[in-house]
Amino acid sequence: MSLDSITQNIDDAVSDFFDPVATTVGDIVFYTVPVGDADLPLIVAWLVIAGLVFTGWFGFVQARKLKLALDVVRGKYDEKDAPGEVNHFQALTAAVSGTVGLGNIAGVAVAVSIGGPGATFWMILCGLLGMATKFVEVTLGVKYREEHADGTVSGGPMHYLPKGLAERFGSGGAKLGKVLAVLASAMILFFGLFGGNLFQTNQSYAQISSTFGGEDGFLASSAGAVLFGLLVAVLVGLVLLGGIRSIASVTSRLVPAMAIMYVVACLVVILTNVTAVPDAIGSIFRGAFEADGVAGGIIGALIVGFQRAAFSNEAGIGSAPIAHSAVKTKHPASEGLVALLEPFIDTVIVCTMTALTIVIANPASWGEAREGENIGGVTITSDAFATVLPWFPHLLTVAVLLFAFSTILTWGYYGLKAWTYLFGRSKVSETTFKVTWSVFVIAGSLLSLDSLISLADSALFLLAVFNIIGLYLLAPVVKRELNSFLEFVRARGTGAGAEAEGTEAEVVDAPQR
């Protein structure tokens, strides 16, 4: 029996078993209600409403404190003796590497195909709102992180939900928090293995095999798939063994390089067609409020834009606080401010650049997709670049590989923290996870397991339900932490020095009520 037939049989058996489960869970998690002529997934509304609430609650913190966030990233308020493992910039790039990826390349193309150019406007708005949600969850992630004896730290919803709710509401809050923490860990672990690992490997392998050699090339064979999977698995394993410091070291170089390369390519297409820019921007604004010819009209464009943005930047999901919790700081809100830059980078910059490139280049495949043809999002984006840079699809393949690799690393770290929360931090436990994670990398190049990916997506966004409930209940804690950090910043500005730091420590350590 050949390797092809073995993997196909396994793929079919797993799909047959999980298809009914994935369909049932997906129908519940992504339940839709009719709004005009379009259907609105309630989970997307849940995420957007959270962004609106936190934007109002914290007085448009994403606009008022944007400069301060940039100063924190630059290291202006670093403290040498602060606990943690990585600096603010490394924590940011580690977290961004988990969100910037195929969703920015393929997902945006799908959005402007279904919702028209106007979907871009709503996508940007959702990204701006998500900045406030990200600020809240990451502040809590650092506030309630667990510092281990070896200097490493663990954070995320599995820590701030039980600790924070117990602190605010006593034994009742502790019980609720514990249940939410276990459920959150399970959801993170499930999505990490299948969505953050298997899917990334599968899609990057598909892209490289189709670009280099096509269906008849060596890479398209099972042997080529195994070789690709083994290579990626070894690289991932080596980095994972180094922990968050190793991951941050890689992503702090990889993510900026990828983002710069991709944005520069977008700018080349845009500037080459600079005379078309005003019309493109005009079509985005007109489409946002007119959306003629788009399924569902204005509401349809709005829903598609919100949906793609929410899926892309993961604000409110609870994943990013895991990476940010490793930051070196005494002030949780400082990293919360850094984190609000994530949706701005991911959605407002990268997604918008992709959308503009497609609208301006107007490739034939985009027109066909808007008429209902089933064309992959990566293909549309690649065709848009090819109108100006015929060789760029090959470079885009490299970008896809790097995006996928960084996502596998980051979700490997997220998954490890969820695993150790559930099964303990022993050496055997951690090694078991890392070996399992690497094996999944190899499987990702051989199998598709579409039903498991669908189920993993459901798990990820079900996590948003648990997480955001906790964010609402713990928002007053975030308010105190923000005021505490702002007082520290003011003291630094007046040159109060050690006296200011001592005063600040008293504020931070004061009992919460």
Side-chain angles (χ1 to χ4, degrees):
M1 184 178 288
S2 67
L3 182 59
D4 282 334
S5 61
I6 293 174
T7 55
Q8 187 60 52
N9 288 338
I10 295 174
D11 201 356
D12 291 342
V14 173
S15 295
D16 289 343
F17 179 80
F18 279 102
D19 270 344
V21 179
T23 300
T24 301
V25 175
D27 288 344
I28 296 172
V29 176
F30 298 106
Y31 180 78
T32 61
V33 295
V35 180
D37 296 327
D39 292 324
L40 172 65
L42 289 182
I43 189 63
V44 174
W46 177 250
L47 292 167
V48 173
I49 290 171
L52 282 167
V53 170
F54 293 129
T55 294
W57 200 327
F58 292 95
F60 290 85
V61 65
Q62 61 266 63
R64 293 190 303 109
K65 301 303 178 184
L66 186 61
K67 181 181 181 301
L68 177 58
L70 293 172
D71 287 339
V72 175
V73 172
R74 291 193 299 109
K76 184 174 180 180
Y77 299 104
D78 285 356
E79 296 170 273
K80 293 181 180 180
D81 58 342
E85 300 182 72
V86 297
N87 61 37
H88 290 288
F89 178 72
Q90 289 175 322
L92 175 64
T93 56
V96 167
S97 68
T99 58
V100 175
L102 296 176
N104 303 80
I105 298 173
V108 173
V110 172
V112 295
S113 296
I114 299 174
T120 307
F121 175 87
W122 300 112
M123 191 167 55
I124 294 171
L125 179 59
C126 185
L128 292 172
L129 294 176
M131 293 169 71
T133 306
K134 192 81 79 160
F135 160 74
V136 173
E137 61 184 350
V138 169
T139 298
L140 291 172
V142 179
K143 166 72 175 175
Y144 295 108
R145 64 186 177 180
E146 183 177 341
E147 298 176 21
H148 306 299
D150 60 0
T152 62
V153 297
S154 297
M158 66 284 285
H159 292 280
Y160 61 71
L161 290 174
K163 291 181 180 179
L165 292 177
E167 183 182 272
R168 284 213 70 205
F169 303 105
S171 59
K175 292 176 182 178
L176 174 62
K178 184 67 175 179
V179 172
L180 292 178
V182 171
L183 291 172
S185 298
M187 299 302 168
I188 290 170
L189 186 58
F190 192 88
F191 177 82
L193 286 172
F194 294 98
N197 183 335
L198 188 148
F199 176 74
Q200 301 297 325
T201 311
N202 181 272
Q203 291 299 294
S204 58
Y205 167 69
Q207 179 70 11
I208 193 172
S209 62
S210 64
T211 303
F212 298 98
E215 295 182 359
D216 299 326
F218 170 74
L219 280 174
S221 67
S222 294
V226 171
L227 182 62
F228 176 83
L230 282 171
L231 177 61
V232 177
V234 169
L235 293 174
V236 168
L238 289 173
V239 178
L240 276 182
L241 288 172
I244 187 61
R245 291 185 179 91
S246 180
I247 295 171
S249 177
V250 172
T251 56
S252 64
R253 294 171 174 80
L254 200 57
V255 172
M258 290 187 301
I260 290 171
M261 181 194 75
Y262 188 76
V263 170
V264 166
C266 290
L267 288 173
V268 169
V269 175
I270 293 170
L271 294 176
T272 302
N273 299 278
V274 66
T275 56
V277 172
D279 286 341
I281 294 175
S283 69
I284 288 173
F285 279 95
R286 287 193 304 272
F289 299 100
E290 297 174 4
D292 293 333
V294 173
I298 298 173
I299 299 299
L302 181 151
I303 291 172
V304 171
F306 277 4
Q307 184 170 339
R308 294 323 311 168
F311 281 37
S312 178
N313 61 50
E314 297 178 11
I317 299 298
S319 53
I322 301 175
H324 284 284
S325 295
V327 72
K328 294 178 179 178
T329 185
K330 297 178 181 178
H331 311 285
S334 68
E335 189 62 16
L337 293 174
V338 169
L340 64 76
L341 296 172
E342 273 181 54
F344 187 83
I345 295 168
D346 177 274
T347 306
V348 179
I349 296 179
V350 180
C351 286
T352 302
M353 295 296 285
T354 300
L356 267 178
T357 298
I358 293 170
V359 173
I360 288 172
N362 193 20
S365 55
W366 182 43
E368 294 168 4
R370 295 194 66 187
E371 292 174 2
E373 293 290 330
N374 185 19
I375 298 175
V378 173
T379 300
I380 296 171
T381 305
S382 180
D383 289 348
F385 284 116
T387 59
V388 174
L389 305 168
W391 46 267
F392 192 77
H394 289 80
L395 191 57
L396 184 62
T397 298
V398 176
V400 167
L401 289 173
L402 296 178
F403 279 135
F405 182 66
S406 64
T407 300
I408 293 170
L409 288 178
T410 299
W411 272 99
Y413 179 70
Y414 294 167
L416 177 62
K417 293 303 180 182
W419 175 277
T420 53
Y421 181 81
L422 292 172
F423 303 109
R425 290 188 63 249
S426 70
K427 190 68 174 178
V428 172
S429 175
E430 292 190 1
T431 302
T432 299
F433 173 82
K434 291 173 183 177
V435 170
T436 303
W437 187 263
S438 298
V439 170
F440 266 72
V441 171
I442 301 172
S445 63
L446 291 167
L447 308 175
S448 56
L449 306 180
D450 291 337
S451 59
L452 281 182
I453 301 304
S454 175
L455 193 57
D457 282 341
S458 298
L460 182 67
F461 287 94
L462 187 57
L463 171 59
V465 177
F466 308 140
N467 186 53
I468 289 176
I469 290 173
L471 300 188
Y472 285 138
L473 295 173
L474 295 174
V477 177
V478 178
K479 179 78 79 172
R480 287 195 293 270
E481 289 298 332
L482 177 59
N483 291 336
S484 175
F485 178 62
L486 294 179
E487 180 61 32
F488 168 76
V489 170
R490 284 191 287 270
R492 271 285 185 94
T494 59
E499 180 182 351
E501 291 187 19
T503 303
E504 180 60 14
E506 294 174 5
V507 174
V508 174
D509 293 337
Q512 304 293 341
R513 295 179 176 85

